[in-house]
Amino acid sequence: MKALILVGGFGTRLRPLTLSLPKPLVDFANKPMILHQIEALKAVGVDEVVLTVNYQAEVMLNFLKDVEAKLEIKITCSRETEPMGTAGPLALARDKLVDGSGEPFFVLNSDVISEYPFKEMIEFHKAHGGEASIMVTKVDEPSKYGVVVMEETTGKVEKFVEKPKFYVGNKINAGIYLLNPSVVDKIELRPTSIKKETFPKIAAAQGLYAMVLPGFWMDIGQPRDYITGLRLYLDSLRKKCPAKLTTGPDIVGNVLVDETAKIGEGCLIGPDVAIGPGCVVESGVRLSRCTVMRGARIKKHACISSSIIGWHSTVGQWARIENMTILGEDVHVRDEIYSNGGVVLPHKEIKSNILMPGIVM
């Protein structure tokens, strides 16, 4: 089987992290976002993954050489010279996806995190016999999204309603698809949307079916959702593989600490924290609802909540970092500094308090 992962965007919503790396390579729960997807695809028998790349293609390819060898899976790139939307990349990668076998292939948005029920999706697709399957997830406020209207019993999709003013359903597109090769023939080689153009045509021909995604789902393409996604991911890990979580007298709730990280005495860490490889957390530190990425150092008695600390950054002694503060790569916060929602670009030194949310250039 094959899979196509849509990674063409610039990752603007996740800046300043994406100023250092393409979004799919930004760490999530201590490994690059895209690696969560590739590992799950490999587990259900996918042997070739095609990435649609536009931005920082060389960085992506160099990283994925190692992944290819480690996972024994073929990874190729389909390069966009201009942004092609969400359907155009399928037409662009036609020669890589359509090989005459008739096997369906997966399509994923690169910033979607979930339990990836690919095995169940394959079974669902084979059972309904239609041309395309999409994963949908239930949401509390459907009026903010495009809603998928479907038959509850069969999953057959009737129509799509964009940001409905009146209630028509509570299920939205989750950005995970399983498509027959014939779908590629319906897509022109131009910038085009799979949700707005391709799927409505297939639904009109009675060939589109939706499966309700079991477990959690989150689009982690922006900081607030990234932190929410981390909570959901760690909660799922607690249910499925509790041994992967860190335990100890200083740990509260779900916490993931890389084995190469060093934690000092008298800390209080958790809930919902990920501490990456090579990190140093000195004594008396308080961490909650945050990610500390590879090589970062948190000095004594610092307090961090609801924030993302980028690679190789330093947070000084007694500093307080909160309210969706995002430190880019190699940012150094002086001792006793307060940050309330500061978004700090890479390679900066912060010498004065950030009292109101804003960008520090």
Side-chain angles (χ1 to χ4, degrees), residues 28-29 115 215-216 227-242 245 253-256 271-273:
F28 176 81
E115 286 169 8
F216 79 98
I227 294 293
T228 303
L230 181 65
R231 173 177 63 78
L232 297 170
Y233 174 84
L234 294 176
D235 201 38
S236 168
L237 214 54
R238 165 78 63 198
K239 291 171 189 154
K240 297 199 161 192
C241 312
L245 294 171
N254 298 330
V255 174
L256 193 63
D272 309 321
V273 172

Side-chain angles (χ1 to χ4, degrees), residues 277-295:
C279 290
V280 176
V281 177
E282 296 182 3
S283 59
V285 165
R286 174 74 178 107
L287 302 176
S288 64
R289 299 181 307 283
C290 65
T291 284
V292 181
M293 291 184 180
R294 183 180 60 254

